[in-house]
């Protein structure tokens, strides 16, 4: 949530993510499409970028935490690097490619966290244009 709130404070979209290996945060990030003028810096992609280049075995022992259900692009990166588990803050405001992740053997745990839901609902209500741009509507 801290990453998501940071993204919102920067004028961006409030989605945050952390990559954890062996109980330690090894990468963190938030959606920076607005801040960087980027088409790919969703929260999960920014987190992976910030984690830097890692050995395959590290990804295979990691868990990716994200405040919102991962879109198809972010899900593709999760599968590509064989991250075995994803913990999702919520999927009520946006249902990403969870079925694809599960079909590829990724364990997806959805928390339906009230704070994550509230943050996204408030953002979507305040900035529907920016939200629709982010998800390609």
């Amino acid at each position: 949530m801290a990453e998501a709130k940071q993204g919102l404070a920067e004028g961006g979209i409030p989605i945050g993510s952390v990559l954890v290996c062996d109980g330690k945060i090894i990468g963190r990030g938030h959606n920076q499409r607005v801040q960087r003028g980027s088409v790919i810096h969703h929260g999960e992609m920014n987190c992976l970028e910030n984690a830097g280049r890692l050995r395959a075995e590290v990804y295979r022992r990691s868990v990716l935490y994200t405040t919102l259900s991962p879109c198809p692009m972010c899900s593709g990166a999760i599968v590509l690097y064989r991250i075995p588990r994803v913990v999702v803050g919520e999927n009520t405001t946006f249902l990403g490619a969870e079925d694809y992740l599960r079909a590829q053997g990724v364990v997806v745990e959805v928390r339906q966290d009230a704070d994550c839901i509230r943050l996204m609902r408030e953002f979507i209500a305040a900035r529907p244009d920016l939200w629709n741009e982010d998800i390609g509507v």
Side-chain angles (χ1 to χ4, degrees), residues 59-82:
Y59 293 114
R60 291 183 191 138
R61 294 194 327 266
S62 295
V63 178
L64 184 77
Y65 293 84
T66 181
T67 58
L68 188 64
S69 184
C71 75
M73 175 180 65
C74 296
S75 295
I78 291 164
V79 170
L80 176 67
Y81 291 107
R82 297 185 179 140

Side-chain angles (χ1 to χ4, degrees), residues 68-72 90-98 120 124 131 135:
L68 188 64
S69 184
C71 75
E90 66 103 349
N91 67 4
T92 60
T93 60
F94 176 77
L95 178 59
E98 293 176 18
M120 282 308 300
I124 292 167
W131 172 242
I135 60 171

Side-chain angles (χ1 to χ4, degrees), residues 5-32:
K5 289 176 182 178
Q6 182 177 342
L8 183 62
E10 294 170 356
I13 300 163
I15 302 167
S17 183
V18 295
L19 185 65
V20 175
C21 184
D22 301 331
K24 179 182 174 191
I25 294 174
I26 60 172
R28 60 177 60 241
H30 52 275
N31 188 302
Q32 291 192 20

Side-chain angles (χ1 to χ4, degrees), residues 76-117:
I78 291 164
V79 170
L80 176 67
Y81 291 107
R82 297 185 179 140
I83 298 169
R85 183 170 169 237
V86 177
V87 178
V88 176
E90 66 103 349
N91 67 4
T92 60
T93 60
F94 176 77
L95 178 59
E98 293 176 18
D99 288 341
Y100 169 71
L101 288 170
R102 289 183 181 103
Q104 299 300 312
V106 177
V107 174
V108 179
E109 176 185 336
V110 181
R111 296 277 174 95
Q112 301 303 19
D113 180 85
D115 291 332
C116 290
I117 295 168

